[in-house]
Protein backbone atom coordinates (compact mmCIF):
# COMPACT_ATOMS: atom_id res chain seq x y z
CA UNK A 1 0.00 0.00 0.00
CA UNK A 2 2.82 2.39 0.92
CA UNK A 3 4.71 1.64 -2.32
CA UNK A 4 1.50 2.23 -4.30
CA UNK A 5 1.02 5.62 -2.64
CA UNK A 6 4.67 6.51 -3.35
CA UNK A 7 4.22 5.47 -6.98
CA UNK A 8 1.03 7.51 -7.36
CA UNK A 9 2.78 10.50 -5.79
CA UNK A 10 5.64 10.13 -8.30
CA UNK A 11 3.23 9.93 -11.25
CA UNK A 12 1.27 12.90 -9.92
CA UNK A 13 4.46 14.97 -9.57
CA UNK A 14 5.73 13.82 -12.99
CA UNK A 15 2.60 15.07 -14.73
CA UNK A 16 2.46 18.16 -12.50
CA UNK A 17 6.03 19.13 -13.40
CA UNK A 18 5.33 18.53 -17.11
CA UNK A 19 2.28 20.79 -16.96
CA UNK A 20 4.09 23.43 -14.88
CA UNK A 21 6.63 23.55 -17.70
CA UNK A 22 3.84 24.18 -20.21
CA UNK A 23 2.18 26.72 -17.91
CA UNK A 24 5.41 28.62 -17.27
CA UNK A 25 5.58 29.50 -20.96
CA UNK A 26 2.08 31.02 -21.20
CA UNK A 27 2.80 34.44 -19.62
CA UNK A 28 6.38 34.84 -20.89
CA UNK A 29 6.41 33.38 -24.42
CA UNK A 30 5.17 36.56 -26.21
CA UNK A 31 7.93 38.71 -24.69
CA UNK A 32 10.49 35.93 -25.16
CA UNK A 33 9.62 35.55 -28.86
CA UNK A 34 9.84 39.31 -29.37
CA UNK A 35 13.19 39.37 -27.58
CA UNK A 36 14.60 36.64 -29.83
CA UNK A 37 13.12 37.87 -33.13
CA UNK A 38 12.89 41.64 -32.70
CA UNK A 39 9.34 41.41 -34.10
CA UNK A 40 6.16 42.94 -32.69
CA UNK A 41 3.21 41.16 -31.12
CA UNK A 42 1.47 40.56 -34.44
CA UNK A 43 4.30 38.27 -35.62
CA UNK A 44 4.86 36.85 -32.14
CA UNK A 45 1.37 35.31 -32.34
CA UNK A 46 2.30 33.51 -35.57
CA UNK A 47 5.55 32.20 -34.10
CA UNK A 48 3.60 31.11 -31.01
CA UNK A 49 1.11 29.18 -33.12
CA UNK A 50 3.88 27.25 -34.87
CA UNK A 51 5.73 26.60 -31.60
CA UNK A 52 2.55 25.08 -30.18
CA UNK A 53 2.12 22.98 -33.32
CA UNK A 54 5.72 21.74 -33.09
CA UNK A 55 5.26 20.72 -29.46
CA UNK A 56 1.91 18.97 -29.97
CA UNK A 57 3.04 17.34 -33.21
CA UNK A 58 6.02 15.68 -31.53
CA UNK A 59 3.78 14.47 -28.72
CA UNK A 60 1.47 12.89 -31.28
CA UNK A 61 4.28 11.05 -33.08
CA UNK A 62 6.18 9.87 -30.00
CA UNK A 63 3.38 8.97 -27.58
CA UNK A 64 2.71 5.53 -29.14
CA UNK A 65 6.48 4.91 -29.44
CA UNK A 66 7.08 5.43 -25.72
CA UNK A 67 3.93 3.50 -24.81
CA UNK A 68 4.96 0.51 -26.95
CA UNK A 69 8.53 0.46 -25.62
CA UNK A 70 7.23 0.61 -22.05
CA UNK A 71 5.04 -2.47 -22.67
CA UNK A 72 8.25 -4.49 -23.12
CA UNK A 73 10.85 -2.81 -20.93
CA UNK A 74 8.66 -1.41 -18.16
CA UNK A 75 7.38 2.03 -17.27
CA UNK A 76 10.09 3.27 -14.90
CA UNK A 77 13.10 3.46 -17.27
CA UNK A 78 11.04 5.24 -19.94
CA UNK A 79 9.66 7.73 -17.43
CA UNK A 80 13.13 8.46 -16.06
CA UNK A 81 14.57 9.00 -19.54
CA UNK A 82 11.68 11.34 -20.36
CA UNK A 83 12.21 13.37 -17.19
CA UNK A 84 15.94 13.64 -17.78
CA UNK A 85 15.36 14.72 -21.37
CA UNK A 86 12.76 17.28 -20.30
CA UNK A 87 15.13 18.88 -17.78
CA UNK A 88 17.76 19.22 -20.54
CA UNK A 89 15.11 20.71 -22.83
CA UNK A 90 14.31 23.46 -20.33
CA UNK A 91 18.00 24.35 -20.19
CA UNK A 92 17.99 24.68 -24.00
CA UNK A 93 15.10 27.14 -23.62
CA UNK A 94 16.99 29.07 -20.95
CA UNK A 95 20.13 29.33 -23.10
CA UNK A 96 18.36 30.00 -26.44
CA UNK A 97 20.11 32.82 -28.37
CA UNK A 98 17.75 32.61 -31.38
CA UNK A 99 14.18 31.57 -32.20
CA UNK A 100 15.59 28.46 -33.92
CA UNK A 101 16.78 27.20 -30.54
CA UNK A 102 13.28 27.73 -29.21
CA UNK A 103 11.87 25.52 -31.95
CA UNK A 104 14.47 22.83 -31.16
CA UNK A 105 13.44 23.07 -27.52
CA UNK A 106 9.74 22.76 -28.38
CA UNK A 107 10.42 19.71 -30.56
CA UNK A 108 12.35 18.06 -27.72
CA UNK A 109 9.71 19.10 -25.17
CA UNK A 110 7.05 17.38 -27.28
CA UNK A 111 9.09 14.17 -27.46
CA UNK A 112 9.94 14.05 -23.76
CA UNK A 113 6.54 15.39 -22.76
CA UNK A 114 5.06 12.23 -24.27
CA UNK A 115 5.77 10.70 -20.84
CA UNK A 116 2.03 11.32 -20.23
CA UNK A 117 1.52 8.04 -22.10
CA UNK A 118 3.74 5.98 -19.83
CA UNK A 119 2.46 7.75 -16.72
CA UNK A 120 -1.11 6.78 -17.67
CA UNK A 121 -0.03 3.18 -18.30
CA UNK A 122 1.71 3.14 -14.87
CA UNK A 123 -1.56 4.18 -13.24
CA UNK A 124 -3.40 1.43 -15.13
CA UNK A 125 -0.81 -1.13 -13.94
CA UNK A 126 -1.19 -0.42 -10.23
CA UNK A 127 -4.93 0.34 -10.10
CA UNK A 128 -7.82 -2.07 -9.66
CA UNK A 129 -10.79 -1.74 -12.01
CA UNK A 130 -12.64 0.20 -9.29
CA UNK A 131 -9.68 2.55 -8.66
CA UNK A 132 -8.86 3.48 -12.26
CA UNK A 133 -11.31 6.36 -12.72
CA UNK A 134 -10.28 7.90 -9.38
CA UNK A 135 -6.57 7.47 -10.09
CA UNK A 136 -6.88 8.77 -13.65
CA UNK A 137 -8.52 11.78 -11.99
CA UNK A 138 -5.11 12.53 -10.47
CA UNK A 139 -3.94 13.37 -14.00
CA UNK A 140 -6.66 16.01 -14.28
CA UNK A 141 -5.79 17.32 -10.82
CA UNK A 142 -2.12 17.59 -11.80
CA UNK A 143 -3.13 19.50 -14.93
CA UNK A 144 -5.24 21.87 -12.86
CA UNK A 145 -2.52 22.54 -10.29
CA UNK A 146 0.15 22.79 -12.99
CA UNK A 147 -1.78 25.52 -14.73
CA UNK A 148 -1.99 27.41 -11.43
CA UNK A 149 1.66 27.05 -10.45
CA UNK A 150 3.15 27.31 -13.96
CA UNK A 151 1.72 30.71 -14.98
CA UNK A 152 2.44 31.97 -11.45
CA UNK A 153 6.12 31.02 -11.71
CA UNK A 154 6.35 32.29 -15.27
CA UNK A 155 4.75 35.63 -14.52
CA UNK A 156 6.50 36.32 -11.20
CA UNK A 157 10.04 35.20 -12.00
CA UNK A 158 9.79 36.18 -15.67
CA UNK A 159 9.42 39.77 -14.47
CA UNK A 160 12.88 39.47 -12.86
CA UNK A 161 14.54 37.67 -15.77
CA UNK A 162 12.75 36.30 -18.82
CA UNK A 163 14.93 33.15 -18.75
CA UNK A 164 14.76 32.41 -15.02
CA UNK A 165 11.50 30.37 -15.13
CA UNK A 166 13.14 27.86 -17.48
CA UNK A 167 15.95 27.24 -14.98
CA UNK A 168 13.34 26.67 -12.28
CA UNK A 169 11.46 24.20 -14.49
CA UNK A 170 14.71 22.34 -15.22
CA UNK A 171 15.48 22.08 -11.51
CA UNK A 172 11.99 20.79 -10.62
CA UNK A 173 12.09 18.17 -13.38
CA UNK A 174 15.54 16.92 -12.41
CA UNK A 175 14.50 16.69 -8.75
CA UNK A 176 11.55 14.50 -9.78
CA UNK A 177 13.93 12.35 -11.86
CA UNK A 178 16.01 11.72 -8.74
CA UNK A 179 12.90 10.95 -6.66
CA UNK A 180 11.66 8.41 -9.23
CA UNK A 181 15.07 6.81 -9.64
CA UNK A 182 15.63 6.34 -5.90
CA UNK A 183 12.14 5.78 -4.48
CA UNK A 184 9.69 4.41 -7.05
CA UNK A 185 9.30 0.71 -8.01
CA UNK A 186 8.56 -0.68 -11.47
CA UNK A 187 4.82 -1.18 -12.03
CA UNK A 188 4.69 -3.60 -14.98
CA UNK A 189 4.98 -7.25 -13.92
CA UNK A 190 7.08 -9.62 -16.04
CA UNK A 191 4.05 -11.73 -16.99
CA UNK A 192 2.29 -8.66 -18.41
CA UNK A 193 5.17 -7.64 -20.68
CA UNK A 194 5.18 -8.29 -24.41
CA UNK A 195 7.45 -7.84 -27.41
CA UNK A 196 7.46 -4.56 -29.33
CA UNK A 197 5.19 -4.40 -32.35
CA UNK A 198 6.71 -1.80 -34.70
CA UNK A 199 3.39 -1.22 -36.48
CA UNK A 200 1.86 -0.11 -33.18
CA UNK A 201 4.47 2.65 -32.96
CA UNK A 202 2.81 4.36 -35.92
CA UNK A 203 0.51 7.10 -34.56
CA UNK A 204 -3.10 5.97 -34.70
CA UNK A 205 -2.26 2.38 -35.76
CA UNK A 206 -3.13 1.01 -32.32
CA UNK A 207 -6.68 2.28 -32.75
CA UNK A 208 -7.19 -0.15 -35.64
CA UNK A 209 -6.56 -3.08 -33.31
CA UNK A 210 -8.97 -1.61 -30.77
CA UNK A 211 -11.91 -2.13 -33.13
CA UNK A 212 -12.20 -5.62 -31.68
CA UNK A 213 -13.19 -4.19 -28.29
CA UNK A 214 -16.92 -3.55 -28.26
CA UNK A 215 -17.75 0.11 -27.79
CA UNK A 216 -14.18 1.29 -27.19
CA UNK A 217 -13.83 3.26 -30.42
CA UNK A 218 -17.02 5.17 -29.68
CA UNK A 219 -15.74 5.99 -26.19
CA UNK A 220 -12.35 7.03 -27.56
CA UNK A 221 -14.14 9.25 -30.09
CA UNK A 222 -16.12 10.83 -27.24
CA UNK A 223 -12.91 11.33 -25.25
CA UNK A 224 -11.28 12.90 -28.34
CA UNK A 225 -14.15 15.35 -28.95
CA UNK A 226 -14.26 16.32 -25.27
CA UNK A 227 -10.52 17.05 -25.28
CA UNK A 228 -10.83 19.01 -28.52
CA UNK A 229 -13.58 21.13 -26.94
CA UNK A 230 -11.37 21.68 -23.90
CA UNK A 231 -8.65 23.21 -26.10
CA UNK A 232 -10.82 26.30 -26.50
CA UNK A 233 -9.62 27.62 -23.13
CA UNK A 234 -5.84 27.67 -23.79
CA UNK A 235 -6.51 28.79 -27.39
CA UNK A 236 -8.83 31.80 -26.97
CA UNK A 237 -9.49 32.44 -23.24
CA UNK A 238 -6.99 35.31 -22.97
CA UNK A 239 -8.11 36.89 -26.25
CA UNK A 240 -11.80 36.54 -25.35
CA UNK A 241 -11.41 38.21 -21.94
CA UNK A 242 -9.40 41.06 -23.47
CA UNK A 243 -11.92 41.56 -26.28
CA UNK A 244 -15.02 41.21 -24.08
CA UNK A 245 -13.91 42.74 -20.77
CA UNK A 246 -10.62 44.54 -21.55
CA UNK A 247 -8.85 42.46 -18.91
CA UNK A 248 -5.22 43.02 -17.93
CA UNK A 249 -2.68 40.15 -17.79
CA UNK A 250 -3.10 40.10 -14.01
CA UNK A 251 -6.86 39.63 -14.31
CA UNK A 252 -6.39 36.90 -16.91
CA UNK A 253 -3.91 35.18 -14.60
CA UNK A 254 -6.33 35.30 -11.67
CA UNK A 255 -9.06 33.73 -13.82
CA UNK A 256 -6.68 30.91 -14.81
CA UNK A 257 -5.88 30.34 -11.14
CA UNK A 258 -9.63 29.95 -10.52
CA UNK A 259 -9.91 27.48 -13.41
CA UNK A 260 -6.96 25.48 -12.14
CA UNK A 261 -8.24 25.34 -8.55
CA UNK A 262 -11.70 24.16 -9.62
CA UNK A 263 -10.34 21.54 -12.02
CA UNK A 264 -7.91 20.24 -9.38
CA UNK A 265 -10.69 19.97 -6.78
CA UNK A 266 -13.15 18.22 -9.10
CA UNK A 267 -10.75 15.76 -10.71
CA UNK A 268 -8.55 15.12 -7.68
CA UNK A 269 -11.26 14.94 -5.00
CA UNK A 270 -14.70 14.57 -6.57
CA UNK A 271 -14.32 11.93 -9.32
CA UNK A 272 -13.93 8.87 -7.10
CA UNK A 273 -16.63 9.99 -4.69
CA UNK A 274 -19.07 10.81 -7.48
CA UNK A 275 -18.67 7.30 -8.91
CA UNK A 276 -19.26 5.77 -5.45
CA UNK A 277 -22.39 7.87 -4.96
CA UNK A 278 -23.98 7.72 -8.41
CA UNK A 279 -22.23 5.05 -10.51
CA UNK A 280 -20.23 5.49 -13.71
CA UNK A 281 -23.18 5.86 -16.09
CA UNK A 282 -24.76 8.76 -14.22
CA UNK A 283 -21.40 10.44 -13.64
CA UNK A 284 -20.65 10.41 -17.38
CA UNK A 285 -24.20 11.50 -18.29
CA UNK A 286 -24.55 14.42 -15.89
CA UNK A 287 -20.87 15.28 -16.23
CA UNK A 288 -21.16 15.82 -19.98
CA UNK A 289 -24.39 17.78 -19.60
CA UNK A 290 -22.85 20.13 -17.02
CA UNK A 291 -19.70 20.43 -19.13
CA UNK A 292 -21.73 21.37 -22.21
CA UNK A 293 -23.93 23.80 -20.29
CA UNK A 294 -20.95 25.57 -18.70
CA UNK A 295 -19.17 25.87 -22.03
CA UNK A 296 -22.23 27.38 -23.72
CA UNK A 297 -22.67 29.85 -20.85
CA UNK A 298 -19.10 31.09 -21.42
CA UNK A 299 -20.15 32.13 -24.91
CA UNK A 300 -22.96 34.25 -23.45
CA UNK A 301 -21.01 35.93 -20.63
CA UNK A 302 -21.50 39.70 -20.77
CA UNK A 303 -20.04 40.58 -17.34
CA UNK A 304 -16.81 39.37 -15.67
CA UNK A 305 -18.66 37.88 -12.67
CA UNK A 306 -20.63 35.69 -15.06
CA UNK A 307 -17.44 34.09 -16.34
CA UNK A 308 -16.46 33.11 -12.80
CA UNK A 309 -19.97 31.82 -12.03
CA UNK A 310 -20.07 29.75 -15.23
CA UNK A 311 -16.78 28.10 -14.26
CA UNK A 312 -18.71 26.05 -11.67
CA UNK A 313 -20.86 23.91 -14.00
CA UNK A 314 -17.96 23.71 -16.47
CA UNK A 315 -15.54 22.38 -13.82
CA UNK A 316 -18.10 20.01 -12.25
CA UNK A 317 -18.67 18.51 -15.69
CA UNK A 318 -15.00 17.51 -15.70
CA UNK A 319 -15.87 14.35 -13.74
CA UNK A 320 -16.87 12.80 -17.09
CA UNK A 321 -13.38 12.77 -18.65
CA UNK A 322 -11.45 10.48 -16.25
CA UNK A 323 -14.53 8.29 -15.82
CA UNK A 324 -14.67 7.67 -19.58
CA UNK A 325 -10.90 7.02 -19.62
CA UNK A 326 -11.29 4.50 -16.80
CA UNK A 327 -14.11 2.70 -18.66
CA UNK A 328 -11.96 2.52 -21.81
CA UNK A 329 -9.02 1.11 -19.84
CA UNK A 330 -11.21 -1.58 -18.26
CA UNK A 331 -12.21 -2.84 -21.72
CA UNK A 332 -8.59 -3.53 -22.74
CA UNK A 333 -6.23 -6.25 -21.45
CA UNK A 334 -3.41 -5.46 -19.01
CA UNK A 335 -0.84 -6.29 -21.70
CA UNK A 336 -2.22 -3.57 -23.97
CA UNK A 337 -2.40 -0.70 -21.47
CA UNK A 338 0.77 1.05 -22.64
CA UNK A 339 -0.37 0.87 -26.24
CA UNK A 340 -3.87 2.09 -25.34
CA UNK A 341 -2.64 5.03 -23.25
CA UNK A 342 -0.18 5.90 -26.02
CA UNK A 343 -3.02 6.12 -28.51
CA UNK A 344 -5.12 8.24 -26.16
CA UNK A 345 -2.25 10.62 -25.40
CA UNK A 346 -1.55 10.86 -29.13
CA UNK A 347 -5.16 11.81 -29.78
CA UNK A 348 -4.97 14.47 -27.06
CA UNK A 349 -1.88 15.85 -28.81
CA UNK A 350 -3.86 16.04 -32.06
CA UNK A 351 -6.54 18.08 -30.26
CA UNK A 352 -3.86 20.56 -29.16
CA UNK A 353 -3.03 21.15 -32.82
CA UNK A 354 -6.62 21.12 -34.07
CA UNK A 355 -7.71 23.42 -31.24
CA UNK A 356 -5.37 26.12 -32.54
CA UNK A 357 -6.56 25.63 -36.12
CA UNK A 358 -10.28 25.49 -35.25
CA UNK A 359 -10.98 27.88 -32.39
CA UNK A 360 -8.57 30.72 -33.18
CA UNK A 361 -9.95 31.30 -36.74
CA UNK A 362 -13.54 31.14 -35.42
CA UNK A 363 -12.72 33.77 -32.79
CA UNK A 364 -11.02 35.94 -35.42
CA UNK A 365 -13.93 35.60 -37.86
CA UNK A 366 -16.48 36.92 -35.36
CA UNK A 367 -14.43 39.80 -33.89
CA UNK A 368 -12.73 41.19 -37.04
CA UNK A 369 -13.74 44.76 -37.95
CA UNK A 370 -15.70 43.68 -41.04
CA UNK A 371 -17.62 40.91 -39.24
CA UNK A 372 -21.36 41.09 -39.96
CA UNK A 373 -22.09 39.33 -36.66
CA UNK A 374 -20.04 40.33 -33.61
CA UNK A 375 -19.84 37.24 -31.38
CA UNK A 376 -16.57 36.91 -29.39
CA UNK A 377 -17.97 33.84 -27.61
CA UNK A 378 -18.42 31.90 -30.87
CA UNK A 379 -15.52 29.54 -30.12
CA UNK A 380 -17.10 28.53 -26.81
CA UNK A 381 -20.44 27.92 -28.54
CA UNK A 382 -18.70 25.63 -31.05
CA UNK A 383 -16.94 23.81 -28.19
CA UNK A 384 -20.34 23.25 -26.52
CA UNK A 385 -21.60 21.61 -29.73
CA UNK A 386 -18.55 19.31 -29.73
CA UNK A 387 -19.22 18.36 -26.09
CA UNK A 388 -22.84 17.57 -26.92
CA UNK A 389 -21.65 15.26 -29.72
CA UNK A 390 -19.20 13.63 -27.30
CA UNK A 391 -22.04 13.04 -24.84
CA UNK A 392 -24.15 11.30 -27.51
CA UNK A 393 -21.24 9.03 -28.49
CA UNK A 394 -20.42 8.15 -24.87
CA UNK A 395 -24.06 7.43 -24.03
CA UNK A 396 -24.38 5.15 -27.08
CA UNK A 397 -21.16 3.29 -26.19
CA UNK A 398 -22.14 2.76 -22.53
CA UNK A 399 -25.38 1.10 -23.61
CA UNK A 400 -23.32 -1.53 -25.48
CA UNK A 401 -20.73 -2.55 -22.90
CA UNK A 402 -20.48 -3.74 -19.30
CA UNK A 403 -19.36 -1.03 -16.89
CA UNK A 404 -18.41 -3.44 -14.09
Amino acid sequence: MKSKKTALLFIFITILVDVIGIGIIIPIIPDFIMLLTGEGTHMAVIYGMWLTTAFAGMQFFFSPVLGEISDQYGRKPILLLSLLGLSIDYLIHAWAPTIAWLFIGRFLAGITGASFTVASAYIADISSAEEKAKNFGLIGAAFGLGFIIGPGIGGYFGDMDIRLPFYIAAGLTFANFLFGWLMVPESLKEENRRSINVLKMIPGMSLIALRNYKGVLLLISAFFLANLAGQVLPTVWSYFTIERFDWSPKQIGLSLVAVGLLVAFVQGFLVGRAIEWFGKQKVVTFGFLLWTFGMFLFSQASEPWMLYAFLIPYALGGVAGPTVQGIISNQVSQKEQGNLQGSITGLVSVTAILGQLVFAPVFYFYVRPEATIYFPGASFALAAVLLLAAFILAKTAMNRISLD
Side-chain angles (χ1 to χ4, degrees):
M1 180 63 71
K2 185 177 180 181
S3 63
K4 181 184 283 193
K5 287 184 176 179
T6 302
L8 283 173
L9 177 63
F10 169 64
I11 294 302
F12 177 80
I13 294 174
T14 296
I15 296 170
L16 177 64
V17 168
D18 279 358
V19 178
I20 285 174
I22 297 169
I24 276 176
I25 292 175
I26 293 173
I28 64 174
I29 196 65
D31 285 344
F32 199 38
I33 290 172
M34 287 187 280
L35 174 68
L36 295 178
T37 63
E39 299 279 5
T41 53
H42 63 296
M43 283 304 297
V45 171
I46 303 301
Y47 280 114
M49 180 185 71
W50 287 117
L51 285 168
T52 301
T53 302
F55 174 80
M58 288 300 98
Q59 274 209 323
F60 173 70
F61 284 113
F62 281 89
S63 289
V65 174
L66 292 185
E68 188 67 18
I69 292 173
S70 78
D71 274 342
Q72 177 169 353
Y73 296 104
R75 319 301 186 199
K76 182 174 178 178
I78 308 302
L79 279 171
L80 293 180
L81 283 173
S82 293
L83 287 168
L84 186 60
L86 200 56
S87 62
I88 294 170
D89 159 63
Y90 287 132
L91 291 178
I92 291 174
H93 278 67
W95 297 332
T98 66
I99 192 71
W101 278 54
L102 214 56
F103 273 98
I104 292 170
R106 286 288 81 193
F107 276 114
L108 287 175
I111 295 169
T112 53
S115 59
F116 289 132
T117 301
V118 187
S120 296
Y122 195 113
I123 289 176
D125 291 338
I126 65 174
S127 304
S128 66
E130 294 75 24
E131 294 173 329
K132 280 181 180 175
K134 180 180 71 174
N135 290 343
F136 279 131
L138 289 174
I139 296 176
F143 266 85
L145 285 176
F147 279 114
I148 297 169
I149 299 170
I153 291 174
Y156 182 78
F157 291 102
D159 248 5
M160 302 177 186
D161 183 336
I162 197 74
R163 298 174 187 268
L164 183 56
F166 293 116
Y167 287 108
I168 294 170
L172 288 172
T173 307
F174 188 71
N176 195 36
F177 163 79
L178 292 177
F179 173 58
W181 182 31
L182 298 172
M183 302 292 292
V184 178
E186 174 57 57
S187 66
L188 187 62
K189 297 176 182 177
E190 288 292 336
E191 62 268 24
N192 287 330
R193 299 189 184 195
R194 61 176 177 82
S195 299
I196 290 173
N197 184 336
V198 176
L199 284 178
K200 290 183 178 180
M201 290 184 172
I202 301 173
M205 282 296 292
S206 57
L207 296 180
I208 297 173
L210 294 177
R211 70 183 184 277
N212 298 320
Y213 297 96
K214 188 179 179 182
V216 166
L217 286 180
L218 277 179
L219 282 172
I220 290 176
S221 298
F223 190 77
F224 172 79
L225 287 177
N227 275 274
L228 177 59
Q231 291 296 327
V232 71
L233 266 74
T235 302
V236 305
W237 180 271
S238 298
Y239 303 99
F240 171 77
T241 54
I242 292 169
E243 176 71 25
R244 199 76 182 86
F245 310 122
D246 195 28
W247 275 6
S248 67
K250 182 180 179 181
Q251 289 170 307
I252 294 170
L254 285 173
S255 69
L256 290 173
V257 167
V259 172
L261 285 171
L262 284 169
V263 169
F265 169 75
V266 169
Q267 301 212 5
F269 175 79
L270 206 56
V271 172
R273 287 166 176 80
I275 291 171
E276 289 175 10
W277 296 335
F278 306 112
K280 294 174 185 174
Q281 179 126 354
K282 287 184 179 178
V283 167
V284 172
T285 299
F286 290 106
F288 267 117
L289 291 176
L290 283 169
W291 216 353
T292 304
F293 184 55
M295 189 71 84
F296 176 74
L297 289 175
F298 285 156
S299 73
Q300 305 300 310
S302 58
E303 298 289 341
W305 68 264
M306 292 181 180
L307 214 52
Y308 280 97
F310 299 158
L311 279 174
I312 296 173
Y314 171 81
L316 288 174
V319 297
T323 307
V324 168
Q325 190 174 1
I327 294 170
I328 293 170
S329 179
N330 286 341
Q331 301 298 312
V332 176
S333 82
Q334 282 296 113
K335 294 183 179 181
E336 296 289 331
Q337 290 298 324
N339 189 39
L340 169 69
Q341 301 306 329
S343 299
I344 289 175
T345 307
L347 285 176
V348 172
S349 298
V350 171
T351 67
I353 300 171
L354 289 179
Q356 293 280 331
L357 301 176
V358 171
F359 297 119
V362 169
F363 177 80
Y364 164 78
F365 184 80
Y366 283 99
V367 300
R368 61 200 170 105
E370 64 271 26
T372 52
I373 300 174
Y374 178 75
F375 185 20
S379 295
F380 294 109
L382 174 59
V385 172
L386 293 175
L387 283 173
L388 186 60
F391 164 68
I392 293 169
L393 289 174
K395 190 73 173 172
T396 303
M398 288 190 300
N399 290 333
R400 298 180 180 178
I401 61 176
S402 171
L403 300 183
D404 297 330

